[in-house]
Amino acid sequence: MSLIDFFIRHQREIGQATLEHIWLVGISMLLAVAIGVPLGIIVTRHPWLSKPILGGANIAETIPSLALFGFLLPVPWLGARADRLVITALMLYALLPIIRNTSTGISSVNVAVREAARGMGMTENQILFQVELPLSVPTILAGVRVATVLTIGIATIAAAVGAGGLGEFIFRGLAMVNDQLILAGAIPAAALALLADFILSLLERRLRPAQS
Amino acid sequence: MKVEPDPDSAREPIIEFRKAGYRLPNGQSLLEDVSVAVGRGETLALLGRSGAGKTTALKLINRMLDPSDGEILVEGKSTLRWDAIALRRHIGYVIQEIGLFPHFTIEQNVSLIPRLEQWPAERIRARVKELLSLVGLDPDTFSRRYPHELSGGQRQRVGIARALAVDPPILLMDEPFGALDPLTTGELLKEFQQLQRRLRKTIVMVTHDVGESLLLATRIALLDGGKLAGIFSAREFLSAQEPVAAAYVANFRMYEEAERANEPH
Ligand SMILES: Nc1ncnc2c1ncn2[C@@H]1O[C@H](COP(=O)(O)OP(=O)(O)OP(=O)(O)O)[C@@H](O)[C@H]1O
Ligand SMILES: [Mg+2]
């Protein structure tokens, strides 16, 4: 049976697993943006917090994924369900690039522009929301892009703790020494990563403000 | 040709430095013991070499910086007793690097403070047109453009229009005519002189150009190494004994001498 036949025969299961995968990554990324962007802003406002926040995110980033699942397993509410566990872990991985790019984006806003904004009588919040964040959008999106591609890859390991996703096929294929099964997980996962990268880079370019 | 000082100016200072000084957190002094009063409708030029403390002095007026010594009064009230935001919206400010918002169109740049003050849309649109025409930019051509689509001189005009947006009674300008070719500077200067006469603002402008000071200012405050070396009217300045002022004048005269040397016999 050719690979194509295999994909056609199992299209429902593959589609189902792809949706699960997208769901795991999507929820993780939403959480990571919701937490990471404010943390990135805090880092620029209180430089003394930059070490603990970026350091913490950096540590999360370096823990191997299976080990991270292991660490999270005993945590009461999180450990109770595989998807909670996986989403938390993926979110932790996504945090670093988002925090870092948010703070880089904000601190690279032209000093003269910030000075003018302050001198005209804009409040700190007005400067943040109307000047600094809009000018940082492309940089923040670049961080989101890196984080998304990263989590799409790591999410394949979610199957190890029973959270589903495209990793199911890979793990089953590995166990049964079945190449087609492995590829049924690997190919859609790779395609998903490429697609996410493409869409987010388009968005990044669209939202790039006029250059000065 | 010059704007005459208001005869009341001595009695009604709008901006007053009282033994004002500014030190960095590390103790280094950038400005020391400056006392000068600017009357209503007056234009004070802050003249001095690079690093003399001109920008620092300007920033003390709109509370971008708080004085370490003495005080600065704006309309009779210490800047420390003003709400910083209210004070800054009361004072137009053209910063040295202009600092237009790159993600806003010219129209959005100019209308930012009116929008924050929640003016009705109609009034904002009319005001932008009025301001752009005032600084010699055709509103239909420039409203929709972004700052990077303008020349340096045009950007400087937008910076001035933006500072005038809510018609503040006080205007601070940090080398607003710097970094341009001499013809464009001259053009802008002449236009600004007319603007000044029409609007009758109280202006403090930073410059290191004697000609610019003589052309626009009612008085010249000479800063040197963070200290006030003297305050002069145009006439006083041209015949000043004070060494720094004399050096400026000698340098200024150099051009006249070159002109005379090249006159046909
Ligand atoms: N935040 C700062 N930290 C350290 N030094 C500073 C700071 N701000 C200003 N200075 C120094 O203070 C001095 C006065 O600066 P200021 O900007 O007032 O000069 P200026 O007269 O406006 O010069 P220019 O004509 O070059 O704009 C300079 O020597 C400058 O290097
Ligand atoms: Mg300066």
Short mmCIF file of all heavy atoms in Angstrom, two decimals, chain B residues 22 24-26 28-31 46-59 65 96-97 174-175 206-208 223 225-226, ligand 1:
data_model
loop_
_atom_site.label_atom_id
_atom_site.label_comp_id
_atom_site.label_asym_id
_atom_site.label_seq_id
_atom_site.Cartn_x
_atom_site.Cartn_y
_atom_site.Cartn_z
N TYR B 22 20.58 71.96 37.62
CA TYR B 22 20.25 70.55 37.40
C TYR B 22 21.50 69.71 37.50
O TYR B 22 22.51 69.98 36.87
CB TYR B 22 19.57 70.35 36.06
CG TYR B 22 19.22 68.89 35.82
CD1 TYR B 22 18.12 68.33 36.45
CD2 TYR B 22 20.03 68.09 35.02
CE1 TYR B 22 17.82 66.98 36.28
CE2 TYR B 22 19.73 66.74 34.85
CZ TYR B 22 18.62 66.20 35.48
OH TYR B 22 18.33 64.87 35.33
N LEU B 24 22.99 65.60 37.56
CA LEU B 24 22.71 64.19 37.28
C LEU B 24 22.71 63.42 38.60
O LEU B 24 23.28 63.89 39.57
CB LEU B 24 23.78 63.61 36.35
CG LEU B 24 23.78 64.09 34.92
CD1 LEU B 24 25.00 63.57 34.18
CD2 LEU B 24 22.51 63.65 34.20
N PRO B 25 22.07 62.24 38.63
CA PRO B 25 22.07 61.45 39.86
C PRO B 25 23.49 61.22 40.41
O PRO B 25 23.69 61.15 41.61
CB PRO B 25 21.45 60.12 39.42
CG PRO B 25 20.62 60.46 38.23
CD PRO B 25 21.28 61.62 37.56
N ASN B 26 24.49 61.18 39.51
CA ASN B 26 25.86 60.95 39.99
C ASN B 26 26.53 62.23 40.52
O ASN B 26 27.71 62.23 40.85
CB ASN B 26 26.72 60.31 38.90
CG ASN B 26 26.97 61.26 37.73
OD1 ASN B 26 26.76 62.47 37.84
ND2 ASN B 26 27.40 60.72 36.61
N GLN B 28 27.08 65.08 38.89
CA GLN B 28 27.63 65.98 37.86
C GLN B 28 26.63 67.09 37.55
O GLN B 28 25.44 66.84 37.35
CB GLN B 28 27.93 65.17 36.61
CG GLN B 28 28.72 65.93 35.57
CD GLN B 28 28.63 65.27 34.21
OE1 GLN B 28 28.36 64.07 34.11
NE2 GLN B 28 28.83 66.05 33.16
N SER B 29 27.12 68.31 37.54
CA SER B 29 26.22 69.45 37.33
C SER B 29 26.13 69.80 35.85
O SER B 29 27.14 70.02 35.19
CB SER B 29 26.74 70.64 38.13
OG SER B 29 25.95 71.77 37.83
N LEU B 30 24.92 69.85 35.32
CA LEU B 30 24.73 70.21 33.90
C LEU B 30 24.31 71.66 33.76
O LEU B 30 24.50 72.27 32.72
CB LEU B 30 23.68 69.31 33.25
CG LEU B 30 23.92 67.81 33.24
CD1 LEU B 30 22.91 67.12 32.36
CD2 LEU B 30 25.33 67.49 32.78
N LEU B 31 23.69 72.18 34.83
CA LEU B 31 23.19 73.55 34.78
C LEU B 31 23.30 74.10 36.19
O LEU B 31 23.00 73.40 37.16
CB LEU B 31 21.72 73.52 34.33
CG LEU B 31 21.20 74.74 33.59
CD1 LEU B 31 21.93 74.91 32.25
CD2 LEU B 31 19.71 74.59 33.33
N LEU B 46 18.11 80.73 23.61
CA LEU B 46 19.17 80.14 24.43
C LEU B 46 20.31 79.81 23.49
O LEU B 46 20.21 78.91 22.65
CB LEU B 46 18.68 78.85 25.11
CG LEU B 46 17.64 78.98 26.22
CD1 LEU B 46 17.20 77.60 26.69
CD2 LEU B 46 18.20 79.78 27.38
N LEU B 47 21.36 80.59 23.61
CA LEU B 47 22.48 80.43 22.69
C LEU B 47 23.65 79.82 23.46
O LEU B 47 23.86 80.13 24.63
CB LEU B 47 22.86 81.82 22.14
CG LEU B 47 23.99 81.91 21.12
CD1 LEU B 47 23.59 81.27 19.81
CD2 LEU B 47 24.37 83.39 20.89
N GLY B 48 24.37 78.95 22.81
CA GLY B 48 25.53 78.35 23.47
C GLY B 48 26.08 77.22 22.64
O GLY B 48 25.41 76.71 21.74
N ARG B 49 27.31 76.84 22.96
CA ARG B 49 27.95 75.79 22.18
C ARG B 49 27.32 74.45 22.50
O ARG B 49 26.57 74.31 23.47
CB ARG B 49 29.44 75.67 22.48
CG ARG B 49 30.18 76.93 22.67
CD ARG B 49 31.58 76.61 23.13
NE ARG B 49 32.27 75.85 22.10
CZ ARG B 49 33.45 76.22 21.60
NH1 ARG B 49 34.03 77.32 22.03
NH2 ARG B 49 34.03 75.49 20.70
N SER B 50 27.69 73.47 21.72
CA SER B 50 27.23 72.11 21.96
C SER B 50 27.65 71.68 23.37
O SER B 50 28.80 71.86 23.76
CB SER B 50 27.86 71.19 20.92
OG SER B 50 27.20 69.97 20.90
N GLY B 51 26.69 71.15 24.13
CA GLY B 51 27.00 70.69 25.48
C GLY B 51 26.91 71.77 26.54
O GLY B 51 27.20 71.52 27.71
N ALA B 52 26.47 72.98 26.16
CA ALA B 52 26.41 74.08 27.12
C ALA B 52 25.26 73.94 28.12
O ALA B 52 25.23 74.61 29.14
CB ALA B 52 26.28 75.40 26.37
N GLY B 53 24.29 73.08 27.80
CA GLY B 53 23.16 72.89 28.70
C GLY B 53 21.86 73.49 28.20
O GLY B 53 20.91 73.64 28.96
N LYS B 54 21.79 73.81 26.92
CA LYS B 54 20.60 74.44 26.36
C LYS B 54 19.39 73.53 26.43
O LYS B 54 18.31 73.91 26.89
CB LYS B 54 20.86 74.85 24.90
CG LYS B 54 22.08 75.73 24.71
CD LYS B 54 22.31 76.11 23.27
CE LYS B 54 22.57 74.95 22.32
NZ LYS B 54 23.85 74.27 22.55
N THR B 55 19.57 72.29 25.94
CA THR B 55 18.44 71.35 25.96
C THR B 55 18.01 71.06 27.39
O THR B 55 16.82 70.98 27.69
CB THR B 55 18.83 70.04 25.23
OG1 THR B 55 19.15 70.36 23.88
CG2 THR B 55 17.70 69.04 25.26
N THR B 56 19.00 70.94 28.28
CA THR B 56 18.69 70.70 29.68
C THR B 56 17.82 71.82 30.24
O THR B 56 16.81 71.57 30.91
CB THR B 56 19.99 70.59 30.50
OG1 THR B 56 20.85 69.63 29.88
CG2 THR B 56 19.72 70.21 31.93
N ALA B 57 18.19 73.07 29.93
CA ALA B 57 17.41 74.22 30.42
C ALA B 57 15.98 74.17 29.89
O ALA B 57 15.01 74.40 30.62
CB ALA B 57 18.09 75.52 30.01
N LEU B 58 15.86 73.81 28.61
CA LEU B 58 14.53 73.76 27.99
C LEU B 58 13.66 72.71 28.66
O LEU B 58 12.47 72.93 28.93
CB LEU B 58 14.71 73.42 26.51
CG LEU B 58 13.66 73.96 25.54
CD1 LEU B 58 13.66 75.47 25.58
CD2 LEU B 58 13.93 73.46 24.14
N LYS B 59 14.26 71.56 28.96
CA LYS B 59 13.50 70.45 29.55
C LYS B 59 13.05 70.74 30.97
O LYS B 59 12.14 70.09 31.48
CB LYS B 59 14.35 69.18 29.54
CG LYS B 59 14.46 68.54 28.17
CD LYS B 59 15.28 67.28 28.27
CE LYS B 59 15.34 66.55 26.94
NZ LYS B 59 16.27 65.42 27.03
N LEU B 65 12.44 67.41 33.04
CA LEU B 65 13.40 67.25 34.12
C LEU B 65 12.94 68.11 35.29
O LEU B 65 12.36 69.17 35.08
CB LEU B 65 14.80 67.70 33.67
CG LEU B 65 15.46 66.98 32.51
CD1 LEU B 65 16.74 67.70 32.11
CD2 LEU B 65 15.76 65.53 32.88
N GLN B 96 14.72 68.49 19.56
CA GLN B 96 15.88 68.67 18.67
C GLN B 96 15.84 67.71 17.48
O GLN B 96 16.15 68.08 16.36
CB GLN B 96 17.16 68.45 19.49
CG GLN B 96 18.41 68.96 18.83
CD GLN B 96 19.57 69.08 19.82
OE1 GLN B 96 19.42 68.82 21.01
NE2 GLN B 96 20.72 69.48 19.34
N GLU B 97 15.43 66.45 17.72
CA GLU B 97 15.42 65.47 16.63
C GLU B 97 14.05 65.35 15.97
O GLU B 97 13.78 64.39 15.26
CB GLU B 97 15.86 64.10 17.16
CG GLU B 97 17.21 64.07 17.84
CD GLU B 97 17.13 64.47 19.32
OE1 GLU B 97 16.01 64.81 19.79
OE2 GLU B 97 18.16 64.47 20.00
N ASP B 174 13.72 73.37 20.19
CA ASP B 174 15.12 72.99 20.32
C ASP B 174 15.75 72.88 18.94
O ASP B 174 15.53 71.89 18.22
CB ASP B 174 15.22 71.65 21.07
CG ASP B 174 16.58 71.45 21.73
OD1 ASP B 174 17.54 72.12 21.29
OD2 ASP B 174 16.68 70.64 22.66
N GLU B 175 16.48 73.88 18.54
CA GLU B 175 17.10 73.93 17.22
C GLU B 175 16.15 73.52 16.10
O GLU B 175 16.43 72.59 15.35
CB GLU B 175 18.36 73.04 17.19
CG GLU B 175 19.44 73.58 18.09
CD GLU B 175 20.70 72.73 18.05
OE1 GLU B 175 21.02 72.22 16.97
OE2 GLU B 175 21.36 72.60 19.10
N VAL B 206 16.12 77.22 21.39
CA VAL B 206 17.53 76.87 21.52
C VAL B 206 18.19 77.00 20.16
O VAL B 206 17.61 76.62 19.15
CB VAL B 206 17.67 75.41 22.00
CG1 VAL B 206 19.09 74.92 21.80
CG2 VAL B 206 17.27 75.30 23.46
N THR B 207 19.37 77.58 20.14
CA THR B 207 20.08 77.69 18.87
C THR B 207 21.57 77.85 19.14
O THR B 207 21.97 78.20 20.24
CB THR B 207 19.56 78.89 18.05
OG1 THR B 207 20.36 79.02 16.89
CG2 THR B 207 19.64 80.19 18.84
N HIS B 208 22.40 77.54 18.16
CA HIS B 208 23.78 77.97 18.30
C HIS B 208 24.16 78.92 17.17
O HIS B 208 25.30 79.09 16.84
CB HIS B 208 24.79 76.82 18.44
CG HIS B 208 24.44 75.59 17.70
ND1 HIS B 208 24.56 74.34 18.23
CD2 HIS B 208 23.94 75.42 16.47
CE1 HIS B 208 24.16 73.46 17.34
NE2 HIS B 208 23.80 74.09 16.27
N LEU B 223 24.48 80.72 27.26
CA LEU B 223 24.87 79.67 28.20
C LEU B 223 26.28 79.20 27.85
O LEU B 223 26.62 79.06 26.68
CB LEU B 223 23.92 78.48 28.11
CG LEU B 223 22.60 78.58 28.86
CD1 LEU B 223 21.72 77.40 28.52
CD2 LEU B 223 22.84 78.66 30.37
N GLY B 225 29.07 76.31 29.46
CA GLY B 225 29.45 75.31 30.47
C GLY B 225 28.43 75.17 31.59
O GLY B 225 28.80 75.01 32.74
N GLY B 226 27.14 75.23 31.25
CA GLY B 226 26.10 75.05 32.25
C GLY B 226 25.79 76.29 33.06
O GLY B 226 24.96 76.26 33.97
N1 LIG C 1 21.29 61.98 30.79
C1 LIG C 1 22.54 62.45 30.70
N2 LIG C 1 23.58 61.75 31.20
C2 LIG C 1 24.84 62.21 31.13
N3 LIG C 1 25.16 63.39 30.58
C3 LIG C 1 24.19 64.14 30.08
C4 LIG C 1 22.82 63.71 30.10
N4 LIG C 1 22.08 64.67 29.51
C5 LIG C 1 22.94 65.62 29.12
N5 LIG C 1 24.21 65.32 29.47
C6 LIG C 1 25.40 66.16 29.25
O1 LIG C 1 25.09 67.44 29.71
C7 LIG C 1 25.65 68.45 28.89
C8 LIG C 1 24.57 69.40 28.45
O2 LIG C 1 23.69 68.72 27.60
P1 LIG C 1 22.58 69.46 26.74
O3 LIG C 1 21.84 68.43 25.99
O4 LIG C 1 21.79 70.36 27.62
O5 LIG C 1 23.49 70.31 25.74
P2 LIG C 1 23.05 71.28 24.57
O6 LIG C 1 23.50 72.63 24.96
O7 LIG C 1 21.63 71.11 24.24
O8 LIG C 1 23.98 70.76 23.37
P3 LIG C 1 23.64 70.61 21.79
O9 LIG C 1 23.76 71.95 21.19
O10 LIG C 1 24.74 69.70 21.31
O11 LIG C 1 22.30 70.00 21.66
C9 LIG C 1 26.36 67.71 27.78
O12 LIG C 1 27.72 67.68 28.07
C10 LIG C 1 25.76 66.32 27.81
O13 LIG C 1 26.71 65.37 27.40
#
